[in-house]
Amino acid sequence: MCEKKRYLCGNIISCFMSKLLIVGTVAFDAIETPFGKTDKILGGAATYIGLSASHFNVPSAIVSVVGDDFPQEHIDLLSSKNIDLSGLEIVKGGKTFFWSGRYHNDMNSRDTLDTQLNVLESFSPKVPDNFKNAEVVMLGNLHPLVQLSVIEQMSERPKLVVLDTMNFWMDVALDDLKKVITKVDVITINDEEARQLSGEYSLVKAARVIAEMGPKYVVIKKGEHGALIFNEDHVFFAPALPLEEVFDPTGAGDTFAGGFSGFLAATEDYSFENMKTAIIHGSNLASFCVEKFGTERMQTLSRDEVRKRLMQFKALTQFDIDLQ
Ligand code: AMP
């Protein structure tokens, strides 16, 4: 029986039981878009995932690494969202992971200008004891061997393991990545990466090839064109909300993953039907992320704003049709 009740975005009530363990980079990013350019700002896959998942009030923890150049204010921000940071290693004298990217005019594609692994190069992750029994593990973008090590430290097989990755790791650590892929339930990946990983242009064929590598569920993110989830012969599609202004797409994929995994952990229902709703929550949260540079929009996003936009999502996707 549930003892505590809590509020989730979308007005769902659930029990305070499951935990979400998040792995991924905590980083400095420098971003260029057609609308402007930033110096080093807060970024990283785990950062976006954590901020997004925090909307579901599930106890969550981040396993990652930074250098002692990482400002206390960023740590305070993550702590203020009730994210357990006992698994965030701070390396004395080390430099935090740095990524820089430039978006093309369509804002759907980008070039990576620089990736400096820094402290990530010799990182050996430690899962906090009280998160070794987390029901949901969200393996955000990071070296596949680190992702693998986290799975191996769990005291029992989590109910759901979700993997996100990117072309960088396909280029430099494909064999390790393939090992991790055999151990996960869900993979979230963007369309170009799905094509690279599978060698197939058709996303339907790509999803089939990737599913044969291990994951039962394959989520393919298509930026402003929405997201697809494949499971055996079933497929579901959620559009992205048409936005008047897209300022910076960085972190949208991670924010999506945070919403997806956060919702599933909160509802403790890992069925395909519930994953469809999780995709809507992920897409909804990602639609905010792109409205400002970096994590700025996610830092102040309120429950009320999230809820209002969910209603817009519903209106966007619901229709009646007479099929007689
Ligand atoms: P997304 O736009 O969802 O792909 O996520 C962008 C975030 O991923 C940025 O904040 C980066 O710091 C982080 N990132 C970029 N490259 C990598 C990489 N090779 N491994 C892990 N994280 C990365």
Side-chain angles (χ1 to χ4, degrees):
M1 268 298 280
C2 311
E3 289 182 11
K4 294 188 188 169
K5 301 264 182 178
R6 65 205 151 112
Y7 171 82
L8 297 171
C9 52
N11 238 359
I12 297 151
I13 304 286
S14 179
C15 318
F16 223 127
M17 304 285 279
S18 56
K19 291 181 201 164
L20 173 67
L21 181 65
I22 300 163
V23 189
T25 42
V26 173
F28 288 132
D29 290 347
I31 305 160
E32 286 180 41
T33 80
F35 305 109
K37 189 174 166 162
T38 67
D39 282 333
K40 280 184 172 182
I41 56 170
L42 171 64
T47 308
Y48 284 102
I49 294 170
L51 290 173
S52 179
S54 70
H55 283 269
F56 300 92
N57 285 347
V58 185
S60 68
I62 286 180
V63 172
S64 192
V65 62
V66 290
D68 60 8
D69 55 350
F70 195 71
Q72 185 62 36
E73 63 176 291
H74 295 340
I75 294 182
D76 293 344
L77 167 76
L78 294 170
S79 304
S80 75
K81 304 286 178 187
N82 289 326
I83 303 168
D84 184 319
L85 295 179
S86 52
L88 178 69
E89 191 188 337
I90 302 174
V91 178
K92 272 213 172 115
K95 279 176 77 180
T96 299
F97 173 83
F98 173 73
W99 175 79
S100 136
R102 182 191 295 136
Y103 287 86
H104 302 161
N105 278 342
D106 67 1
M107 296 287 263
N108 248 352
S109 52
R110 70 182 178 206
D111 295 323
T112 288
L113 304 176
D114 196 4
T115 301
Q116 295 173 17
L117 296 178
N118 297 332
V119 287
L120 198 60
E121 232 153 334
S122 53
F123 176 47
S124 168
K126 273 169 218 69
V127 176
D129 281 343
N130 56 336
F131 274 83
K132 285 191 171 155
N133 62 353
E135 274 202 9
V136 179
V137 175
M138 178 64 234
L139 299 172
N141 204 354
L142 192 143
H143 196 296
L145 287 182
V146 174
Q147 296 175 318
L148 201 59
S149 157
V150 165
I151 300 179
E152 284 164 358
Q153 289 175 51
M154 302 307 284
S155 54
E156 55 200 79
R157 179 36 166 107
K159 294 250 168 69
L160 192 78
V161 182
V162 185
L163 171 78
D164 189 52
T165 188
M166 73 186 284
N167 50 0
F168 180 87
W169 301 113
M170 292 174 203
D171 295 338
V172 305
L174 184 61
D175 288 344
D176 296 330
L177 180 60
K178 284 190 171 164
K179 264 186 230 152
V180 188
I181 290 178
T182 63
K183 300 202 178 296
V184 306
D185 305 293
V186 185
I187 183 170
T188 71
I189 190 167
N190 77 27
D191 42 3
E192 280 317 307
E193 290 154 358
R195 290 182 173 120
Q196 181 174 346
L197 185 62
S198 65
E200 292 286 352
Y201 184 81
S202 147
L203 293 180
V204 177
K205 285 188 184 161
R208 197 176 306 132
V209 170
I210 295 169
E212 278 163 12
M213 297 176 181
K216 228 171 133 189
Y217 305 92
V218 177
V219 177
I220 300 186
K221 302 169 283 182
K222 288 160 58 67
E224 66 170 332
H225 304 297
L228 293 152
I229 181 165
F230 295 88
N231 168 229
E232 295 170 355
D233 291 331
H234 307 288
V235 59
F236 174 74
F237 171 71
L241 200 75
L243 294 170
E244 242 171 77
E245 292 196 68
V246 175
F247 208 69
D248 168 22
T250 308
D254 306 313
T255 303
F256 172 92
F260 178 80
S261 54
F263 173 77
L264 291 173
T267 50
E268 298 176 6
D269 173 352
Y270 309 110
S271 65
F272 182 60
E273 276 314 297
N274 204 41
M275 283 188 195
K276 293 182 186 175
T277 315
I279 295 243
I280 302 287
H281 280 284
S283 303
N284 190 47
L285 285 157
S287 78
F288 290 101
C289 175
V290 303
E291 288 181 337
K292 288 197 176 162
F293 265 123
T295 58
E296 207 183 326
R297 186 70 176 96
M298 298 310 289
Q299 291 186 25
T300 54
L301 182 62
S302 74
R303 293 281 154 89
D304 204 40
E305 289 171 308
V306 173
R307 201 177 136 60
K308 280 198 185 118
R309 197 166 282 182
L310 270 177
M311 285 153 77
Q312 272 177 269
F313 243 102
K314 208 170 166 196
L316 176 73
T317 49
Q318 261 187 350
F319 59 89
D320 283 323
I321 186 165
D322 191 352
L323 291 175
Q324 283 179 4

